């Protein structure tokens, strides 16, 4: 447990107490870990793999709110306010989690200012991200939205911006409220104009001028 950054500041005693109220779990790809609208029992810390946070309407249309990776946690919102799960979290790859029961998490928040602060910092970060997304959806056209998603998912590799993980068009579409066909058209346009260069294994090189679409 101590190797999990969120829990690194806890005392031996606190970790022992937490171990009693937590369990390590593994899930294959495509598994729903928490389901929107359901009552909550646990908080999850992602130890390895990636998972998506999504909401869907009554017709089954989906929007992806975030993609989580190793070290991220989820399921804290309904632990804090006792409301039903605000979204579903679904594995994109085989994932390993630490699941912490509600009572243990509540006790931890009460006993550890460091953990409380870390949870608050994460919630504030998410609000900032949500504000940015509102701006993106309200002010940018589909080219700008696609460009922003590509840049958000890219990383610096020897001075170049590379999207390393596969980013299917359908998933991009669900992040920006556009159809898959529209995203395909925009991606083709970006490739033709040389803003995006496709690389082997679904990776992409992003040219610097792509940023001009996002403001
Ligand atoms: P909870 O509501 O308990 O269950 C669903 C979880 O998804 C929620 O807690 C958060 O941990 C996570 N979640 C909800 N909205 C977002 C978001 N916009 N970005 C990242 N994670 C989110």
């Amino acid at each position: 447990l101590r190797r999990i950054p969120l829990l690194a500041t806890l005392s031996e005693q606190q970790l022992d107490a937490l171990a009693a109220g937590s369990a390590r779990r593994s899930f294959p790809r495509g598994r729903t870990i928490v389901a929107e609208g359901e009552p909550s029992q646990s908080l999850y810390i992602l130890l390895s793999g990636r998972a998506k946070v999504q909401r869907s309407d009554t017709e089954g249309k989906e929007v992806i709110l975030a993609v989580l990776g190793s070290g991220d946690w989820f399921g804290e919102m309904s632990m804090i306010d006792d409301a039903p799960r605000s979204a579903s979290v679904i594995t994109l790859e085989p994932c390993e989690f630490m699941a912490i029961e509600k009572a243990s998490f509540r006790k931890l928040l009460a006993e550890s200012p460091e953990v409380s602060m870390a949870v608050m910092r994460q919630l504030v970060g998410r609000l900032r991200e949500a504000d940015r997304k509102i701006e993106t959806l309200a002010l940018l056209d589909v080219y700008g939205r696609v460009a922003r998603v590509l840049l958000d998912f890219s990383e610096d590799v020897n001075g170049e911006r590379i999207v390393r993980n596969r980013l299917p068009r359908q998933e991009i579409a669900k992040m920006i409220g556009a159809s898959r066909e529209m995203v395909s058209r925009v991606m083709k346009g970006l490739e033709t104009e040389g803003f995006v260069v496709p690389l082997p294994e679904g990776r992409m090189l992003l040219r610097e001028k792509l940023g001009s679409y996002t403001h």
Side-chain angles (χ1 to χ4, degrees):
L1 288 179
R2 190 179 293 292
R3 266 183 276 136
I4 300 171
L6 174 66
L7 311 176
T9 57
L10 296 182
S11 69
E12 215 51 56
Q13 212 178 4
Q14 284 171 317
L15 285 172
D16 284 346
L18 193 59
S22 64
R24 208 180 162 113
R25 305 224 186 104
S26 301
F27 293 99
R29 178 177 185 273
R31 189 68 70 82
T32 300
I33 310 302
V34 310
E36 183 181 348
E38 291 200 344
S40 63
Q41 268 121 39
S42 308
L43 163 100
Y44 295 86
I45 303 173
L46 196 46
L47 302 176
S48 67
R50 290 187 313 142
K52 61 178 175 179
V53 181
Q54 76 175 31
R55 288 178 65 108
S56 44
D57 67 7
T58 48
E59 290 166 26
K61 275 196 285 170
E62 295 161 353
V63 56
I64 297 178
L65 300 172
V67 175
L68 309 177
S70 164
D72 289 333
W73 64 85
F74 59 91
E76 76 297 338
M77 285 170 62
S78 50
M79 304 275 107
I80 292 169
D81 68 3
D82 278 324
R85 294 291 194 195
S86 60
S88 297
V89 181
I90 300 163
T91 56
L92 291 169
E93 300 168 357
C95 285
E96 264 189 309
F97 300 98
M98 184 63 74
I100 301 177
E101 286 169 14
K102 193 178 213 161
S104 299
F105 178 62
R106 286 263 177 97
K107 194 158 172 282
L108 195 59
L109 284 183
E111 284 179 2
S112 167
E114 289 85 4
V115 172
S116 284
M117 196 62 197
V119 170
M120 278 196 273
R121 201 175 303 120
Q122 183 235 31
L123 288 171
V124 169
R126 201 182 291 155
L127 182 58
R128 285 182 191 276
E129 190 51 39
D131 288 349
R132 193 161 158 272
K133 236 169 244 158
I134 292 170
E135 181 202 24
T136 300
L137 293 174
L139 303 182
L140 296 182
D141 62 12
V142 182
Y143 270 82
R145 295 181 200 176
V146 171
R148 202 164 251 189
V149 169
L150 295 178
L151 287 165
D152 283 349
F153 278 83
S154 69
E155 44 198 298
D156 186 89
V157 180
N158 304 324
E160 305 211 273
R161 294 236 59 94
I162 303 280
V163 178
R164 271 200 221 241
N165 285 312
R166 251 173 225 292
L167 200 51
R169 280 151 209 215
Q170 180 71 66
E171 303 282 303
I172 298 176
K174 286 188 200 168
M175 287 182 228
I176 61 170
S179 66
R180 194 183 57 76
E181 293 72 20
M182 185 66 188
V183 171
S184 290
R185 225 174 303 143
V186 168
M187 288 295 298
K188 204 170 277 170
L190 291 174
E191 288 174 15
T192 307
E193 291 169 59
F195 287 72
V196 172
V197 182
L199 301 175
E201 289 157 23
R203 288 175 298 127
M204 287 177 258
L205 166 67
L206 310 182
R207 296 276 188 221
E208 210 176 311
K209 53 188 179 178
L210 184 66
S212 62
Y213 277 115
T214 62
H215 42 250

